[in-house]
Amino acid sequence: MELKSDEIKKIIPHRYPFWLIDKVTDMKLGERVEAIKCVSANEMYFMGHFPQKQIMPGVLIIEALAQAGAVAILSIPRNEGKVAVFGGIKNCRFRRQVTPGDVLHLYCEISQIRGTVGFGKAMAKVDGEIAVQGEITFAITE
């Protein structure tokens, strides 16, 4: 299943400048998602991180992964209209810098859901190379 930005906006509440996924390239509802973020030199955070060598902040890569996972979870009919909030991350490793011009490939596999709390294994890649990986926790709220 592929989703363009207009369809994603119907699922998650994020908007610019905190809109961090451009397209869902593949998804199985409630189980896994693959998405992309095209990293542009025009993004606001590059004005200060860092002007002499622009690097996408790691926390924003994690947020992009969380947003991708939220699309998979909130696409389930019983979660329609709800919000998934970031609950935590563990075993996170940053392995590669992400810079303007990169296409960030986002992967999140939902490993478990217990009531309104869920867990996912997340990974971001650039050119087939792992940039970030970790395990995310989220809560589904009204």
Side-chain angles (χ1 to χ4, degrees):
M1 169 187 281
E2 186 175 288
L3 301 173
K4 304 252 180 186
S5 63
D6 287 343
E7 296 163 304
I8 297 168
K9 284 181 182 179
K10 294 175 185 173
I11 301 168
I12 61 174
H14 304 79
R15 299 297 181 262
Y16 181 83
F18 229 64
W19 176 263
L20 297 174
I21 56 175
D22 295 318
K23 180 180 181 181
V24 170
T25 55
D26 191 28
M27 179 172 64
K28 187 165 185 185
L29 299 182
E31 293 183 25
R32 64 175 176 76
V33 66
E34 295 178 19
I36 59 170
K37 161 73 176 147
C38 298
V39 182
S40 168
N42 294 326
E43 298 186 57
M44 299 279 291
Y45 51 82
F46 284 133
M47 291 184 346
H49 199 270
F50 300 97
Q52 69 280 12
K53 180 167 176 32
Q54 297 177 319
I55 300 170
M56 185 174 183
V59 295
L60 294 182
I61 300 170
I62 298 296
E63 175 63 25
L65 287 165
Q67 287 181 23
V71 170
I73 286 300
L74 298 176
S75 295
I76 300 171
R78 73 174 178 269
N79 293 331
E80 189 175 323
K82 295 182 180 178
V83 175
V85 295
F86 198 17
I89 187 154
K90 65 181 185 176
N91 301 321
C92 182
R93 297 290 178 260
F94 296 90
R95 303 190 183 283
R96 179 192 193 284
Q97 293 178 353
V98 177
T99 59
D102 287 341
V103 176
L104 196 56
H105 292 264
L106 308 164
Y107 305 91
C108 186
E109 181 179 332
I110 307 304
S111 54
Q112 186 177 27
I113 299 176
R114 281 192 241 141
T116 60
V117 177
F119 305 88
K121 294 179 181 174
M123 179 172 39
K125 290 184 176 184
V126 174
D127 296 330
E129 189 179 340
I130 297 173
V132 177
Q133 65 187 70
E135 300 166 45
I136 59 175
T137 304
F138 56 88
I140 301 167
T141 64
E142 294 297 324

